[in-house]
């Protein structure tokens, strides 16, 4: 069929539904949406409620589907979360824990160990996984409970470090319609689908 673009194909994206700028798909840590939400929710609970961690499948389902601090909101089933967990265990990003005091299996993440992340990097990745593209200001305020950054420059520098890795973890996105600030997103899964001009309405200038 005809090609829409004469740009050369990027490495590792020949069979991709969405074009990915980096070659993250060649890496075994490439995640689908459900895996991203499950891993983000699991990692968030490890920092925010350590007293209840590792967590059970039921608690993890609730965490994935909570109405706050999530975008988009989801209604993942227990089966969907369990399937994502199995895949994440295979990718060495999650492990199952059987506690002597409980008959219910629990789960914990291995995000920093597997991807070699510092605390600030882990916190930023969690918020990006759970909420999609965000500005520096949004990231700094939303990550505060998990890791206090000194200032916006500190957040920006950490994101730059994550972008400069051999397999980049973050990328920038043009500002949302009507906004001025650049947004950031993670590269563990497909880049966000942007509906071009969805909120842009052409208004002719007054005479």
């Amino acid at each position: 069929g005809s090609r829409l673009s004469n740009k050369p194909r990027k490495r590792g994206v020949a069979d991709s539904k969405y074009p990915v700028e980096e070659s993250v798909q060649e890496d075994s840590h490439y995640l689908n949406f459900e895996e991203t939400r499950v891993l983000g929710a699991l990692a968030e609970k490890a920092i925010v409620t350590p007293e209840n961690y590792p967590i059970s499948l039921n608690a993890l389902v609730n965490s994935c589907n909570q109405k706050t601090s999530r975008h988009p909101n989801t209604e993942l089933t227990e089966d969907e979360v369990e399937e994502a967990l199995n895949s994440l265990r295979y990718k060495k990003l999650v492990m199952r824990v059987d506690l002597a005091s409980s008959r219910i299996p629990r789960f914990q993440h291995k995000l920093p160990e597997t991807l070699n992340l510092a605390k600030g990097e882990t916190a930023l990745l969690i918020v990006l996984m759970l909420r999609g593209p965000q500005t520096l200001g949004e990231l700094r305020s939303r990550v505060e409970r998990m890791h206090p950054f000194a200032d916006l420059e500190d957040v920006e520098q950490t994101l730059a470090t994550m972008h400069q890795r051999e397999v980049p973890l973050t990328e920038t996105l043009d500002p949302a319609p009507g906004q001025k600030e650049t947004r950031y997103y993670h590269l563990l899964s497909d880049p966000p689908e942007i509906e071009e001009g969805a909120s842009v309405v052409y208004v002719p200038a007054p005479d």
Side-chain angles (χ1 to χ4, degrees):
S2 62
R3 293 288 296 279
L4 292 176
S5 164
N6 58 4
K7 287 183 184 175
R9 281 186 185 272
K10 294 276 172 68
R11 235 169 19 112
V13 299
D15 302 317
S16 171
K17 183 178 172 186
Y18 309 107
V20 179
E21 289 304 308
E22 310 292 346
S23 59
V24 178
Q25 285 190 305
E26 295 183 347
D27 191 84
S28 64
H29 302 131
Y30 182 76
L31 311 176
N32 65 23
F33 174 79
E34 291 79 10
E35 290 163 6
T36 303
R37 174 57 58 91
V38 167
L39 183 59
L42 195 55
E44 180 197 55
K45 293 304 176 194
I47 300 174
V48 177
T49 55
E51 67 279 5
N52 296 326
Y53 185 81
I55 66 176
S56 66
L57 176 60
N58 184 51
L60 183 54
V61 172
N62 292 335
S63 177
C64 288
N65 295 334
Q66 70 181 51
K67 300 306 178 196
T68 56
S69 307
R70 305 282 183 270
H71 182 79
N73 286 144
T74 56
E75 293 185 6
L76 299 181
T77 64
E78 197 167 284
D79 285 346
E80 287 172 322
V81 172
E82 194 162 28
E83 186 178 335
L85 279 171
N86 288 336
S87 178
L88 289 165
R89 288 171 68 190
Y90 174 76
K91 294 172 183 177
K92 297 184 168 49
L93 287 164
V94 166
M95 63 184 288
R96 174 176 157 159
V97 183
D98 292 295
L99 302 176
S101 58
S102 170
R103 288 183 299 176
I104 300 171
R106 293 172 182 267
F107 300 90
Q108 68 183 48
H109 75 96
K110 297 168 66 180
L111 197 54
E113 300 91 337
T114 303
L115 295 184
N116 191 26
L117 301 172
K119 284 185 178 178
E121 293 173 329
T122 302
L124 283 170
L125 201 52
I126 291 169
V127 175
L128 289 170
M129 286 194 289
L130 292 176
R131 292 194 175 207
Q134 293 157 80
T135 65
L136 282 177
E138 288 170 336
L139 285 168
R140 190 194 172 191
S141 64
R142 290 167 178 174
V143 86
E144 192 71 31
R145 285 195 309 166
M146 293 187 276
H147 182 81
F149 282 92
D151 48 32
L152 283 180
E153 204 173 304
D154 191 12
V155 177
E156 190 171 26
Q157 185 55 54
T158 304
L159 288 163
T161 302
M162 294 166 76
H163 174 72
Q164 290 157 5
R165 291 166 64 121
E166 189 176 344
V167 177
L169 287 174
T170 59
E171 186 54 270
T172 54
L173 194 64
D174 289 338
Q179 305 291 315
K180 294 178 182 175
E181 290 185 77
T182 299
R183 292 171 294 167
Y184 295 80
Y185 64 93
H186 71 88
L187 289 169
L188 289 180
S189 56
D190 285 322
E193 280 191 84
I194 305 302
E195 295 178 24
E196 293 299 342
S199 314
V200 181
V201 179
Y202 175 69
V203 181
D207 291 338

